[in-house]
């Protein structure tokens, strides 16, 4: 290698994962972050009290506990403690007990009563082949999976839970709604095969490696990766927005952790017209509107068991969620959106103070929605937790349209960086053999807009970095990600 320098634009989880991989391979790496702090979707900061930290984007990290990148990187060995609530997620219901997904599969099956055996039949085979299922779904989707049985375990369950057949799998509304709330993490039309795959991936992990909350906030994951990058000679520039690829002409190769819109803005003048047209056809999905609350007491859920869950889905019945998420995907705004709530202190008591607790909430809304979500989200929580309003000390909302200003990768508030349709889940951002390589020599895209897509797993950046290493520098062996002994 005569020129071993690479520039990475963006320090979200994929940009950091790419830089870790490149630096570990011996390249001199420079990262450029437009914001004043690193992390992208992994940022945490005080909002209302200097001693209470709020996660600004991602808060719960099933993929950081399960993905191949983080398994090899070994967060625990780097001092990042992933804490597990006893109940991974809950789904409150009107007038009846909430659905509860305990980390313990047996406890979940007992709690679901007449649907316990069906829940076990859905989840247990996936748990038995969990590593193979995870590695298959969190791959570039271009090679035969290492575990050849994994697709045969997953496929029939995706068909059952990602199609109109989904309504007949379970007998009780509690079980139907419990899994449908997980499918809604796909942020798109329900039911769909893509959402079915998301439901089964995240759903079985709830009983396996879990849905953990990092002690001290999501920023701890970003900082662990940044520390590894600098330890291997990398340099991180914050407050440095790259607007033109020519600013990086000093680099032997460039990897962008951006959306296709960002790629067009930075490199548009160098991209061939045909590739540009294909990027312009890339579809963005519904938006997320975020609300942060500072509250005086634990959320007073009508079903007290919900208070033991790290993540809570507010969406009503399965049919209500099917209807609501489909409306949202069509750009139709309502006052009763699907809402995710996280109470980090269920797992990490250090996150708050006496009388001051952070509460995190997302609402699914149409792309580009301009409404302040505070009252909509407060009302949704109040419906299932009467008296919640009285506990609010402070609150702050950010609309879907404003989210893009905070993080340009969230186009119109799309935190998935691209609609999670069946086709676009695999062929993102365009249909080609190497989805990370662009037609511009030395330019690569490694963001959530490339396979395997959204969530904090680092695999999009890692796989893009491996492509860069192979094509630009002839490095065909993936570097070790393990901590130094």
């Amino acid at each position: 290698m005569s020129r071993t320098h690479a520039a990475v634009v963006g320090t979200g989880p994929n940009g950091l994962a790419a830089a870790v991989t490149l630096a570990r391979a011996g390249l001199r790496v420079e990262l450029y972050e437009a914001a004043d702090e690193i992390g992208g979707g992994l940022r945490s900061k005080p909002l209302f009290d200097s001693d209470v930290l709020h996660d600004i984007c991602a808060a719960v990290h099933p993929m950081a506990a399960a993905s191949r990148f983080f398994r090899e990187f070994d967060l625990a060995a780097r001092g990042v403690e992933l804490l597990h609530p006893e109940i991974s997620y809950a789904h409150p219901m009107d007038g009846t007990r909430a659905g509860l997904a305990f980390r313990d599969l047996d406890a979940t099956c007992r709690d679901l009563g007449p649907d316990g055996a069906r829940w076990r039949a859905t989840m247990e085979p996936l748990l038995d082949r969990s590593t193979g299922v995870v590695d298959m779904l969190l791959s570039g989707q271009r090679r035969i999976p290492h575990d050849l049985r994994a697709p045969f375990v997953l496929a029939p369950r995706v068909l059952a839970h990602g199609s109109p057949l989904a309504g007949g799998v379970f007998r009780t509304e509690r079980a139907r709604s419990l899994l449908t709330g997980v499918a809604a993490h796909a942020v798109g039309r329900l039911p769909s095969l893509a959402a079915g795959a998301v439901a089964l991936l995240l759903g079985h992990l709830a009983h396996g490696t879990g849905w953990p909350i990092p002690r001290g906030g999501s920023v701890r994951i970003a900082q662990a990766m940044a520390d590894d990058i600098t330890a291997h000679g990398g340099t991180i520039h914050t407050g440095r927005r790259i607007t033109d690829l020519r600013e990086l002409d000093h680099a032997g190769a460039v990897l962008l952790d951006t959306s296709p819109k960002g790629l067009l803005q930075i490199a548009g003048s160098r991209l061939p017209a045909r590739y540009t047209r294909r990027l312009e056809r890339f579809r963005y999905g519904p938006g997320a509107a975020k609300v942060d609350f500072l509250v005086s007491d634990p959320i007073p859920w009508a079903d007290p068991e919900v208070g033991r869950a790290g993540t809570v889905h507010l969406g009503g019945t399965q049919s209500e969620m099917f209807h609501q998420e489909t409306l949202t995907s069509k750009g139709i705004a309502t006052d009763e959106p699907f809402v995710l709530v996280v109470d980090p202190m269920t797992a990490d008591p250090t996150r708050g103070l006496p009388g001051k607790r952070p509460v995190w909430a997302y609402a699914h809304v149409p792309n580009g929605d301009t409404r302040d979500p505070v009252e909509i989200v407060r009302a949704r929580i109040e419906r299932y937790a009467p008296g919640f309003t009285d506990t609010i000390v402070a609150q702050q909302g950010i609309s879907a349209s404003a989210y893009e200003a905070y993080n340009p990768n969230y186009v119109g508030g799309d935190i998935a960086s691209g609609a999670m349709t069946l086709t676009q889940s695999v062929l993102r951002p365009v249909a080609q053999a190497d989805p990370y390589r662009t037609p511009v020599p030395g330019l690569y895209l490694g963001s959530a807009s490339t396979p395997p897509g959204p969530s904090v797993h680092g695999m999009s950046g890692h796989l893009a970095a491996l492509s860069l290493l192979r094509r630009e520098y002839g490095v065909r062996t993936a570097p070790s990600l393990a901590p130094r002994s």
Side-chain angles (χ1 to χ4, degrees):
M1 298 180 191
S2 59
R3 192 177 187 191
T4 58
H5 189 89
V8 176
V9 177
T11 62
N14 286 304
L16 291 170
V20 165
T21 305
L22 296 171
R24 286 297 191 107
L27 273 66
R28 297 192 305 274
V29 180
E30 291 191 50
L31 291 88
Y32 296 86
E33 171 57 55
D36 292 331
E37 65 280 332
I38 65 166
L42 291 173
R43 297 175 201 164
S44 307
K45 61 175 63 177
L47 295 177
F48 312 110
D49 186 290
S50 60
D51 294 319
V52 179
L53 204 63
H54 295 256
D55 289 320
I56 306 304
C57 294
V60 179
H61 296 282
M63 293 296 97
S67 83
R68 179 164 57 85
F69 174 83
F70 282 114
R71 292 199 311 266
E72 295 179 11
F73 188 71
D74 195 351
L75 287 168
R78 300 167 186 277
V80 180
E81 191 175 359
L82 298 179
L83 304 174
H84 295 270
E86 182 182 0
I87 298 174
S88 295
Y89 63 94
H91 194 102
M93 306 289 294
D94 289 321
T96 188
R97 291 182 58 230
L100 305 172
F102 293 83
R103 193 172 178 203
D104 185 328
L105 178 62
D106 291 339
T108 305
C109 294
R110 287 194 300 269
D111 189 68
L112 288 174
D115 269 326
R118 292 177 178 82
W119 193 272
R120 184 183 301 279
T122 298
M123 298 298 177
E124 197 164 55
L126 294 169
L127 286 165
D128 289 343
R129 310 206 73 81
S130 185
T131 299
V133 169
V134 170
D135 287 353
M136 179 182 67
L137 291 176
L138 297 188
S139 70
Q141 312 292 337
R142 302 298 194 275
R143 296 183 179 181
I144 296 173
H146 293 296
D147 184 345
L148 295 178
R149 293 181 62 185
F152 296 99
V153 172
L154 181 65
R157 289 167 174 80
V158 171
L159 289 172
H161 294 279
S163 71
L165 299 173
V169 176
F170 298 116
R171 291 180 180 177
T172 64
E173 187 57 55
R174 285 179 67 228
R176 285 194 294 267
S177 298
L178 186 62
L179 191 57
T180 303
V182 186
H185 282 244
V187 198
R189 179 179 61 83
L190 292 178
S192 72
L193 293 176
V198 168
L200 293 165
L201 173 61
L202 296 178
H204 93 274
L205 289 176
H207 309 300
T209 50
W211 288 22
I213 295 170
R215 185 184 296 276
S218 296
V219 69
R220 294 295 304 279
I221 298 174
Q223 193 58 57
M225 289 195 281
D227 289 346
D228 190 77
I229 292 163
T230 56
H232 288 83
T235 304
I236 301 174
H237 307 279
T238 57
R240 177 73 188 279
R241 183 180 299 277
I242 300 299
T243 60
D244 192 305
L245 195 59
R246 287 175 294 186
E247 298 173 58
L248 304 175
D249 280 346
H250 64 280
V254 175
L255 191 150
L256 304 181
D257 178 10
T258 70
S259 68
K261 181 179 178 180
L263 171 58
L264 287 167
Q265 291 171 341
I266 293 172
S269 62
R270 296 193 186 182
L271 295 172
R274 183 171 179 270
Y275 188 77
T276 296
R277 289 193 296 270
R278 294 166 74 191
L279 290 179
E280 290 172 341
R281 290 195 294 268
F282 185 79
R283 291 176 53 198
Y284 295 95
K290 173 81 183 309
V291 181
D292 290 288
F293 296 100
L294 187 67
V295 300
S296 59
D297 297 287
I299 300 173
W301 299 108
D303 184 340
E305 291 292 284
V306 177
R308 299 162 62 194
T311 302
V312 181
H313 300 144
L314 307 181
T317 65
Q318 182 185 65
S319 62
E320 287 173 332
M321 286 182 280
F322 283 178
H323 178 67
Q324 177 60 53
E325 289 293 271
T326 299
L327 286 178
T328 300
S329 70
K330 293 179 178 179
I332 301 172
T334 77
D335 289 332
E336 295 189 335
F338 181 87
V339 169
L340 294 90
V341 179
V342 175
D343 179 356
M345 290 186 69
T346 57
D348 182 5
T350 70
R351 290 288 296 277
L353 299 169
K356 295 178 179 179
R357 300 172 62 95
V359 171
W360 175 108
Y362 265 150
H364 293 173
V365 297
N367 190 282
D369 193 285
T370 60
R371 294 174 298 170
D372 185 328
V374 169
E375 286 307 306
I376 293 172
V377 170
R378 182 202 57 76
R380 292 295 276 165
I381 299 175
E382 183 78 21
R383 172 176 169 177
Y384 299 99
F388 171 72
T389 301
D390 296 333
T391 71
I392 298 173
V393 176
Q395 58 192 17
Q396 173 181 296
I398 181 168
S399 68
S401 61
Y403 232 154
E404 185 175 352
Y406 163 75
N407 187 332
N409 282 7
Y410 300 162
V411 177
D414 177 9
I415 57 175
S417 293
M420 289 297 290
T421 62
L422 181 61
T423 301
Q424 202 165 263
S425 296
V426 178
L427 304 178
R428 52 199 291 138
V430 299
Q432 61 184 35
D434 184 343
Y436 313 104
R437 187 185 186 191
T438 79
V440 178
L443 178 63
Y444 293 77
L445 184 67
S447 69
S449 299
T450 62
S455 194
V456 178
H457 45 63
M459 288 302 297
S460 299
H462 176 62
L463 292 169
L466 293 180
S467 176
L468 185 158
L469 287 169
R470 184 173 62 252
R471 294 181 180 277
E472 304 300 321
Y473 299 114
V475 177
R476 298 190 176 277
T477 302
S480 170
L481 303 177
R484 289 173 170 169
S485 59

